Amino acid sequence: MDNFRIYNTLTGKKEIFKPVNENHIRIYTCGPTVYNYAHIGNARPAIVSDLLVRFLKAIYPKVTYVSNITDIDDKIIDASEKLNIPIDELTTKYKNIYNEDMMSLNVIPPDFQPHATDHIPEMIEIIKKNIRNNKAYVSSGHVLFDVKSYPSYGLLSGRNQDDQLAGSRVEVASYKKNPGDFVLWKPSTGTQPGWDSPWGYGRPGWHLECSAMSEKSLGIPFDIHGGGMDLIFPHHENEIAQSCGSCNENANPKAYVKYWLHNSLLNMDGEKMSKSLNNILYIRDLLKDYDGEVLRMTLLSAHYRQPINFNSESLINAKNILDKFYRALLSSKNIKINMKKIEFPPIEVIDALADDLNTSKVFAEVNKIAKKLITSKDKNQKKKYKEQLLSVSHLIGILRKDPEEWLGINKVDSDIDSDLIEGLIKERELARIDKNYTEADEIRSKLANLGVEIEDTPDGTIWKSIKK
Ligand SMILES: [Zn+2]
């Protein structure tokens, strides 16, 4: 495929995707720092990358997707001290919870999930190279990257170094040559975890972790680096600086990564999600009330570079859209499809994905297919549309449930008597045959009072319980 276009933060343009090696596409997305439950904002980069990887796997022969676990970080150290739990116990617990949550959102696990603590020798190696290339210096037990030594610093974020420094309100540490210099290695004291290094006992800076893990698992340069927009500066800017610094490449940031893909963030009813506003929504809690597919659909319903206002309305909208698609599948439940022989999704859907993952266009196309599936009378046509709907949903990771189960058809809460309902439906059918519509309507109201909604379909009347 030669018309996949992707918005590259590095150039600020939508570009035609030209892989480093078209026989093997390589992608890296920053994974979670594991010291707490993952919130719904953490799910967006994972779901966007999942969609991208599913699409690339459909159009290229080989794709390797890597997303890491940050299991050493000051936030982790703080949490472990506060909770009095050993660091590895804490990180293992929350890594497992994160992976389970992602599974519930139908995110396919990455091909590799490297852990930062398994890559300390690689990090030390990158630091050594940066020192050798005069990009980094040692000061009071720290190793710092010298941002003035790297002329391309600021290209990704579009920040001018001097503006950046002039506007800096943070007190500058005495061991830094310039306020913008960032830590590659820092000393560990007391109970802080650490490793031996040529610069003393210490631990790596966070930015360095992703440079080491991505290079070790993918080699550089690789094709696409993903993450939330909040990571553009300083995290990704610093990754470029130290990775290019390690190979002494000053002018071309693409010596590390060719395309940078950043997803926009979530708002909570117009406000940023934050601890201080007490509006953090954990995936685990949301899953108690919403199916993982609803959460996935909510996050996919807007283009990945648009912010999402995440609230109960957006969740209900997503649920309604899925209900509609499931109803279309239900309308054709008697048509058997061999999933192994299923064709590639229609070209309109592929084109929409190829246009910088335009999910709004994708769902508009899926909507058209679902409508045709419901309204078409011809069995062959119906089969064709059902195949199309299944192939698209398989590609984008939705509609994995049984339609009857999803819609709650012919299933009741334990306090509703299903024999009574079936009996009333039969009575209503007889009334309708007798053209006694008043009685039929009365029975419908009676059912509604019992918490049951009915729908007349070509295959007879179906019913479901309405949650009150
Ligand atoms: Zn990262």
Side-chain angles (χ1 to χ4, degrees):
M1 166 165 243
D2 51 11
N3 66 342
F4 173 35
R5 287 178 307 148
I6 175 171
Y7 182 87
N8 188 356
T9 309
L10 186 61
T11 57
K13 278 189 235 142
K14 225 194 249 187
E15 297 175 26
I16 301 247
F17 177 64
K18 292 201 178 100
V20 178
N21 169 6
E22 61 181 29
N23 294 317
H24 186 189
I25 312 299
R26 290 161 298 151
I27 306 172
Y28 182 92
T29 295
C30 294
T33 302
V34 282
Y35 63 100
N36 197 353
Y37 289 97
H39 59 68
I40 189 68
N42 300 132
R44 198 171 188 192
I47 286 182
V48 169
S49 301
D50 180 59
L51 179 72
L52 171 71
V53 170
R54 284 164 178 266
F55 176 56
L56 289 171
K57 285 191 172 172
I59 59 174
Y60 284 101
K62 187 178 175 194
V63 177
T64 302
Y65 171 47
V66 177
S67 187
N68 70 294
I69 293 289
T70 290
D71 58 352
I72 178 71
D73 182 88
D74 286 355
K75 285 180 192 154
I76 294 174
I77 299 172
D78 289 349
S80 121
E81 277 169 6
K82 219 182 254 171
L83 300 167
N84 201 19
I85 302 176
I87 285 183
D88 52 351
E89 201 179 298
L90 180 84
T91 54
T92 305
K93 174 182 168 184
Y94 287 110
K95 176 192 78 177
N96 291 340
I97 289 175
Y98 173 82
N99 284 338
E100 282 166 20
D101 287 351
M102 290 308 115
M103 208 80 96
S104 305
L105 302 178
N106 198 17
V107 169
I108 299 172
D111 299 298
F112 297 113
Q113 189 175 50
H115 291 46
T117 51
D118 294 333
H119 291 74
I120 304 294
E122 286 81 4
M123 294 179 208
I124 290 176
E125 207 44 48
I126 293 177
I127 300 176
K128 279 187 188 166
K129 286 180 186 164
N130 273 286
I131 294 176
R132 211 179 301 144
N133 294 335
N134 291 319
K135 302 287 177 207
Y137 57 93
V138 184
S139 173
S140 311
H142 292 72
V143 184
L144 292 134
F145 187 89
D146 179 358
V147 291
K148 291 268 185 213
S149 73
Y150 179 56
S152 303
Y153 195 78
L155 272 187
L156 180 76
S157 58
R159 287 179 185 229
N160 172 305
Q161 272 193 47
D162 294 326
D163 288 355
Q164 167 72 29
L165 304 186
S168 169
R169 281 174 291 139
V170 185
E171 203 180 313
V172 180
S174 58
Y175 50 82
K176 286 188 180 182
K177 271 200 224 168
N178 294 298
D181 293 352
F182 59 90
V183 167
L184 299 176
W185 191 262
K186 59 181 157 191
S188 292
T189 50
T191 54
Q192 288 173 335
W195 292 264
D196 288 322
S197 83
W199 318 284
Y201 186 73
R203 57 191 194 278
W206 169 45
H207 314 302
L208 185 64
E209 299 178 4
C210 283
S211 278
M213 285 183 275
S214 60
E215 180 173 356
K216 174 79 190 297
S217 12
L218 294 170
I220 58 171
F222 60 91
D223 295 292
I224 304 174
H225 193 313
M229 279 181 187
D230 53 336
L231 298 185
I232 296 175
F233 188 90
H235 186 50
H236 290 161
E237 194 74 77
N238 293 353
E239 275 189 54
I240 295 176
Q242 68 215 357
S243 288
C244 288
S246 75
C247 47
N248 213 11
E249 170 53 64
N250 283 321
N252 177 23
K254 291 185 181 175
Y256 175 44
V257 175
K258 249 184 127 176
Y259 302 90
W260 286 86
L261 178 141
H262 290 105
N263 62 274
S264 186
L265 306 182
L266 299 186
N267 295 318
M268 294 295 138
D269 264 330
E271 282 184 313
K272 213 181 144 190
M273 190 161 52
S274 76
K275 239 185 209 159
S276 56
L277 290 170
N278 201 20
N279 61 355
I280 296 183
L281 288 178
Y282 295 105
I283 299 170
R284 194 119 298 208
D285 291 333
L286 285 163
L287 285 170
K288 288 177 194 155
D289 295 322
Y290 299 93
D291 192 281
E293 260 189 39
V294 174
L295 302 182
R296 184 179 176 92
M297 184 74 195
T298 310
L299 295 188
L300 285 179
S301 58
H303 186 257
Y304 74 89
R305 281 189 291 112
Q306 297 297 322
I308 289 179
N309 197 15
F310 194 93
N311 53 25
S312 49
E313 202 181 318
S314 56
L315 285 160
I316 290 168
N317 283 344
K319 163 92 168 51
N320 288 342
I321 295 170
L322 285 169
D323 283 357
K324 203 164 24 165
F325 297 164
Y326 273 112
R327 256 185 234 118
L329 284 182
L330 186 71
S331 77
S332 58
K333 69 168 180 176
N334 298 325
I335 299 173
K336 294 278 169 279
I337 304 287
N338 183 350
M339 283 303 281
K340 279 187 191 133
K341 285 191 181 159
I342 212 158
E343 273 187 44
F344 210 54
I347 189 69
E348 291 82 1
V349 171
I350 296 301
D351 282 348
L353 284 168
D355 179 16
D356 193 29
L357 303 179
N358 190 336
T359 43
S360 317
K361 251 197 227 169
V362 170
F363 289 119
E365 289 302 327
V366 181
N367 207 17
K368 279 189 212 162
I369 298 169
K371 249 190 199 154
K372 285 189 217 161
L373 175 56
I374 288 182
T375 50
S376 124
K377 301 271 180 271
D378 179 83
K379 207 176 168 200
N380 286 331
Q381 290 281 35
K382 249 184 150 41
K383 183 165 185 275
K384 182 176 100 183
Y385 296 131
K386 183 170 183 179
E387 272 183 356
Q388 288 185 352
L389 183 57
L390 289 175
S391 65
V392 181
S393 55
H394 183 69
L395 178 63
I396 62 179
I398 57 166
L399 306 187
R400 298 166 76 228
K401 305 278 157 63
D402 175 72
E404 287 197 348
E405 213 169 286
W406 177 276
L407 294 164
I409 302 294
N410 299 354
K411 282 213 167 53
V412 274
D413 295 338
S414 52
D415 55 340
I416 301 182
D417 179 349
S418 59
D419 287 344
L420 173 70
I421 291 159
E422 298 284 0
L424 284 168
I425 287 175
K426 266 209 186 101
E427 262 180 51
R428 178 173 167 269
E429 263 165 39
L430 290 173
R432 273 160 40 110
I433 290 167
D434 289 345
K435 299 206 164 42
N436 189 347
Y437 297 115
T438 321
E439 194 191 335
D441 283 348
E442 274 168 18
I443 296 172
R444 184 190 274 266
S445 318
K446 211 185 231 177
L447 285 163
N449 287 336
L450 288 169
V452 169
E453 187 181 272
I454 53 172
E455 189 183 335
D456 297 312
T457 75
D459 298 328
T461 303
I462 55 172
W463 56 273
K464 61 179 180 181
S465 68
I466 323 159
K467 271 194 182 166
K468 284 185 184 164

